[in-house]
Amino acid sequence: MLRLQFKGVSRHFPPKRGRSESEGVLAVDDVNVEVGDGEVVSLIGPSGCGKSTLLNLASGLDRPSKGEVFVDGAPVSGPNEHVAFMLQKDLLLPWRTVRRNIEFGQEIRKLEPDKRRQRAEMFLKRFHLDGFADHYPHELSGGMRQRAALARTMMMNPDVLLLDEPFSALDAQTKMVLQQDLAGTLADERKTAFLITHDLVEALALSDRVLVMSRRPGRIIKEIQVDIPDRDNPMERRQHERIGPMIAQLMGLLDIGSSEELV
């Protein structure tokens, strides 16, 4: 079953008022991507190539200029409850406790308080926050705030999880711990995820496939199948003998080392 599909998708941003038509931007062009049920796919590419544009289209926050995006076989025409979007910033509500932040989405959906609390307790434990349920965001470290944001996202029980560099602001050690938590949760709950990252090791450690985009206008130029075991255990994956050669392959595709390229 396909959970997420981009079919001939292009997005052109017209010029601002008073500017010439040539100053418009074709961000992505003729993108075709399919993500199956329970699959984790990472998207990498040069800065400004349209990666975040694709996530905005998948979430329903934006519409393609050409082509269509589908979630669970239905065209995406706006935000819907089947998709959850996690950004680089945790965006926790400062006046709510960690528990109440995690419950927030299901509170809006009118889930019964007892069921809501029971589910929140499960994610508090899963993301090692059960001792901080009644703390406020300002009392937490950056890593713990991002744990809470991840718990809030998973609490929504989405069919498709969109992740826009969710760990990029964290230190290396905290990032690896959260990658481990995310990978285990995605595997246990058989969730579908579409991840943007600039971290090549992260892409390989977490994913079934890695898609490489070209410079703008962004097109998919290569699909890498990550045929390494232990997708649910990125710590183990990082030590696999094939990781090094695959990183080298991705670096070659991205032309890292060129003065023209910033990834």
Side-chain angles (χ1 to χ4, degrees):
M1 175 182 180
L2 289 180
R3 287 293 190 185
L4 176 64
Q5 183 179 23
F6 297 85
K7 195 170 183 179
V9 167
S10 299
R11 180 64 171 104
H12 178 265
F13 292 95
K16 294 181 179 179
R17 187 183 300 273
R19 301 288 183 88
S20 68
E21 186 63 31
S22 64
E23 292 182 273
V25 174
L26 181 59
V28 294
D29 185 34
D30 194 27
V31 171
N32 294 279
V33 171
E34 295 181 347
V35 184
D37 184 39
E39 193 175 23
V40 179
V41 175
S42 285
L43 187 65
I44 64 172
S47 293
C49 72
K51 299 184 295 296
S52 293
T53 296
L54 290 180
L55 284 199
N56 288 334
L57 296 174
S59 68
L61 296 175
D62 193 13
R63 299 291 301 274
S65 305
K66 292 182 180 178
E68 279 195 282
V69 183
F70 299 86
V71 170
D72 290 343
V76 175
S77 57
N80 69 77
E81 64 182 22
H82 299 286
V83 175
F85 201 164
M86 183 174 172
L87 303 172
Q88 298 175 36
K89 295 183 179 180
D90 59 75
L91 300 178
L92 298 176
L93 300 176
W95 59 89
R96 294 178 72 106
T97 63
V98 170
R99 178 187 285 107
R100 296 195 65 224
N101 264 288
I102 292 172
E103 291 181 0
F104 184 59
Q106 293 291 21
E107 185 178 325
I108 291 175
R109 290 183 181 176
K110 308 296 184 184
L111 182 68
E112 296 174 19
D114 287 347
K115 291 182 179 179
R116 192 170 71 226
R117 188 179 183 90
Q118 182 179 15
R119 186 163 173 80
E121 289 294 335
M122 179 184 74
F123 284 111
L124 282 164
K125 291 178 181 178
R126 183 182 289 272
F127 294 109
H128 315 292
L129 290 165
D130 41 325
F132 297 88
D134 297 319
H135 285 58
Y136 288 87
H138 74 272
E139 300 176 297
L140 305 180
S141 68
M144 293 177 72
R145 288 173 63 106
Q146 206 66 353
R147 286 178 188 275
L150 184 55
R152 179 186 58 194
T153 304
M154 296 303 302
M155 174 84 172
M156 298 300 291
N157 196 29
D159 291 331
V160 177
L161 183 62
L162 304 175
L163 301 159
D164 190 354
E165 297 188 71
F167 309 136
S168 61
L170 303 177
D171 65 84
Q173 182 176 334
T174 302
K175 179 189 290 191
M176 286 191 289
V177 172
L178 279 172
Q179 288 169 352
Q180 194 79 2
D181 289 341
L182 173 62
T185 303
L186 292 175
D188 290 347
E189 304 221 347
R190 193 166 172 74
K191 292 298 182 183
T192 301
F194 195 48
L195 165 71
I196 287 179
T197 180
H198 284 110
D199 184 334
L200 304 186
V201 178
E202 179 174 78
L204 294 169
L206 291 175
S207 307
D208 297 297
R209 289 184 288 136
V210 177
L211 305 180
V212 183
M213 291 187 75
S214 68
R215 295 182 177 89
R216 189 174 63 234
R219 301 179 178 91
I220 305 299
I221 59 172
K222 188 72 173 180
E223 175 184 309
I224 306 295
Q225 194 78 32
V226 187
D227 52 349
I228 300 174
D230 301 311
R231 197 204 74 190
D232 61 338
N233 189 346
M235 294 284 196
E236 190 70 25
R237 260 197 179 189
R238 284 171 176 269
Q239 301 176 58
H240 197 279
E241 61 183 7
R242 295 205 60 222
I243 283 287
M246 294 187 80
I247 291 171
Q249 181 183 11
L250 294 178
M251 290 176 67
L253 289 166
L254 292 169
D255 196 22
I256 294 177
S258 166
S259 60
E260 298 178 3
E261 188 64 89
L262 292 175
V263 177

